[in-house]
Amino acid sequence: MQQLGISIYPNHSTTEKDKQYIHVANQYGFTRVFTCLLSVEQDNILASFKETIHYAKQLGMEVICDINPRVFKDLGISYDDLTFFKNLGADGIRLDLGFTGNEESMMTFNPHGLFIEVNMSNSTKYIDNILSFQPNRNKLIGCHNFYPHRYSGLSYDFFIECSEKFKKYGLRTAAFVSSQAATFGPWPIVEGLPTLEMHRGLPIDVQAKHLFATRLIDDVIIGNAYASEEELKRLSQINKEKLTFNLELVDSVSALEKKILFDEPHFYRGDVSDYMIRSTQSRVKYRGEAFPPHNTTDIKRGDVVIESELYEQYAGELQIALKDMNNSGRTNVVARIREEEIFLIDSLKPWDKFAFSEWDG
């Protein structure tokens, strides 16, 4: 099951604020919490940490703790005895630093049933090495890093390469998106906290759609705190299994064209064109219906068009424009994909299913 998650940082906030954020996120269907214990220099930090985790658990949320290696030393915790984290209430721990592979493998058999989460943001043979030591795969999961410094996030191609290494073993994966409303993270400098650099300035729902569309990421977590309620709501409305584009309709769109856009199933026809993504079933279903020409302006990348009756056997066919094209006067431009989402059309592959919703932004 794909999940949405939030991050909290007890070292930089209060228990009450964290609990309120968890409550609101849970109301919008968020089921995962990432948290980070940076230090135990203050006596009340551990108590606050435990109370917040307990609250999230009461709401049925899963909590994964990232523990600064220095904290292990300060608390005298050994990597072969994870009782401390069980007592803390966590469902799993994230290992920032790698071990020999055998140690990670041994940890997945911990008697407390804790998940062992390893860092996905590398293209080495790290995960292959762990798998060679026969871990309990049901307790081994992966999560990418997040990057507070502008321009330091992962490139898309590198992200795909790293993620594929985990997905080929069927492991559960996660990555971070960045809130535009949040103000803090685990460290003093936070210029957003995405995994992918290309996501840093994008609306949060577009970032999440992109991650889910890769089919390589199971869980999407907001890296910085606190996201706005509007952002949480936007994320809760995402279809995680089928890429759904937000559309801005033209004024002249007909009732039948709106029915085709929003009520009919769409898939990317398998004989691929450089210029358009074709969804052709509507021309079959609505053969003989009236599709009078309107708004036959030249076509821009990101436009959604439906062929008019002047196109004879193509009348009623829906297409997404991949490139700018001249309009012969027979093609109705009925809508345009929300500008920030247009790049997502490159995520579609032949035979992929997709859908549309009307943009209310």
Side-chain angles (χ1 to χ4, degrees):
M1 182 183 72
Q2 294 165 301
Q3 298 186 85
L4 291 170
I6 56 171
S7 300
I8 57 169
Y9 302 100
N11 289 77
H12 299 307
S13 187
T14 66
T15 305
E16 287 311 307
K17 286 181 179 177
D18 282 342
K19 288 166 71 173
Q20 175 61 23
Y21 185 47
I22 289 169
H23 172 75
V24 175
N26 184 254
Q27 293 292 303
Y28 283 106
F30 284 62
T31 54
R32 181 168 173 175
V33 177
F34 170 84
T35 188
C36 187
L37 185 58
L38 298 171
S39 71
V40 290
E41 292 165 359
Q42 298 167 273
D43 293 338
N44 61 342
I45 286 295
L46 276 182
S48 169
F49 212 76
K50 194 168 185 177
E51 181 179 344
T52 304
I53 291 175
H54 181 66
Y55 182 73
K57 296 290 293 175
Q58 280 183 314
L59 296 177
M61 300 175 82
E62 179 184 76
V63 182
I64 305 293
C65 293
D66 182 275
I67 307 294
N68 187 318
R70 183 165 54 84
V71 174
F72 271 87
K73 184 179 178 182
D74 292 345
L75 293 172
I77 301 170
S78 167
Y79 285 103
D80 58 10
D81 181 3
L82 304 179
T83 305
F84 172 83
F85 303 105
K86 176 65 177 177
N87 293 339
L88 205 56
D91 294 284
I93 61 170
R94 184 172 196 272
L95 305 176
D96 248 1
L97 299 177
F99 295 90
T100 64
N102 188 37
E103 288 161 295
E104 286 93 335
S105 174
M106 292 297 290
M107 279 189 267
T108 63
F109 290 97
N110 71 84
H112 312 297
L114 295 169
F115 287 107
I116 304 301
E117 186 175 85
V118 297
N119 183 2
M120 292 175 63
S121 299
N122 63 74
S123 65
T124 66
K125 295 188 179 300
Y126 174 52
I127 190 61
D128 305 277
N129 186 41
I130 295 173
L131 268 293
S132 71
F133 287 100
Q134 304 301 323
N136 176 0
R137 295 192 187 199
N138 294 323
K139 291 299 176 183
L140 181 65
I141 59 179
C143 182
H144 278 282
N145 281 339
F146 48 42
Y147 297 89
H149 189 308
R150 190 176 297 280
Y151 306 122
S152 67
L154 299 185
S155 71
Y156 181 72
D157 290 343
F158 183 77
F159 169 83
I160 294 295
E161 179 184 349
C162 297
S163 301
E164 286 177 339
K165 286 179 177 291
F166 280 71
K167 249 342 181 188
K168 75 177 181 182
Y169 291 118
L171 300 177
R172 184 175 149 207
T173 59
F176 292 93
V177 292
S178 183
S179 161
Q180 304 304 325
T183 56
F184 67 97
W187 306 293
I189 296 296
V190 178
E191 298 175 315
L193 275 180
T195 291
L196 277 167
E197 185 57 39
M198 65 184 293
H199 284 173
R200 196 175 298 273
L202 287 175
I204 198 166
D205 57 316
V206 178
Q207 300 174 51
K209 284 183 184 183
H210 192 209
L211 290 177
F212 285 130
T214 65
R215 299 179 178 177
L216 297 171
I217 297 300
D218 298 304
D219 299 344
V220 171
I221 306 165
I222 303 171
N224 44 2
Y226 300 110
S228 68
E229 184 167 351
E230 179 62 23
E231 288 180 316
L232 297 175
K233 181 181 177 183
R234 289 279 181 208
L235 287 177
S236 74
Q237 295 170 334
I238 286 176
N239 185 331
K240 305 180 190 71
E241 297 172 342
K242 182 164 64 176
L243 187 51
T244 301
F245 299 97
N246 283 310
L247 292 184
E248 297 176 76
L249 299 176
V250 302
D251 292 338
S252 57
V253 64
S254 71
L256 178 55
E257 289 167 334
K258 287 177 73 171
K259 183 177 177 63
I260 290 172
L261 288 168
F262 301 123
D263 297 343
E264 297 298 334
H266 299 287
F267 66 86
Y268 187 160
R269 186 170 148 140
D271 41 355
V272 175
S273 160
D274 285 338
Y275 290 85
M276 63 183 74
I277 292 168
R278 300 175 65 193
S279 173
T280 56
Q281 292 307 295
S282 54
R283 87 179 196 211
V284 177
K285 182 172 181 177
Y286 296 104
R287 181 176 296 137
E289 297 280 351
F291 289 95
H294 69 92
N295 198 38
T296 55
T297 57
D298 281 344
I299 300 162
K300 303 295 183 187
R301 172 178 160 84
D303 282 347
V304 179
V305 307
I306 292 178
E307 301 295 15
S308 79
E309 57 206 29
L310 299 180
Y311 244 127
E312 300 289 346
Q313 73 269 25
Y314 293 102
E317 176 174 314
L318 179 143
Q319 299 155 6
I320 300 174
L322 295 171
K323 293 183 177 182
D324 294 353
M325 292 176 276
N326 293 326
N327 194 332
S328 65
R330 294 177 290 191
T331 296
N332 295 340
V333 179
V334 297
R336 181 164 178 78
I337 294 172
R338 176 187 174 198
E339 288 298 323
E340 296 94 333
E341 295 185 16
I342 289 175
F343 78 98
L344 296 178
I345 60 181
D346 297 325
S347 300
L348 287 174
K349 297 178 176 58
W351 303 110
D352 271 351
K353 315 304 181 280
F354 60 92
F356 301 107
S357 61
E358 188 167 359
W359 175 235
D360 61 0

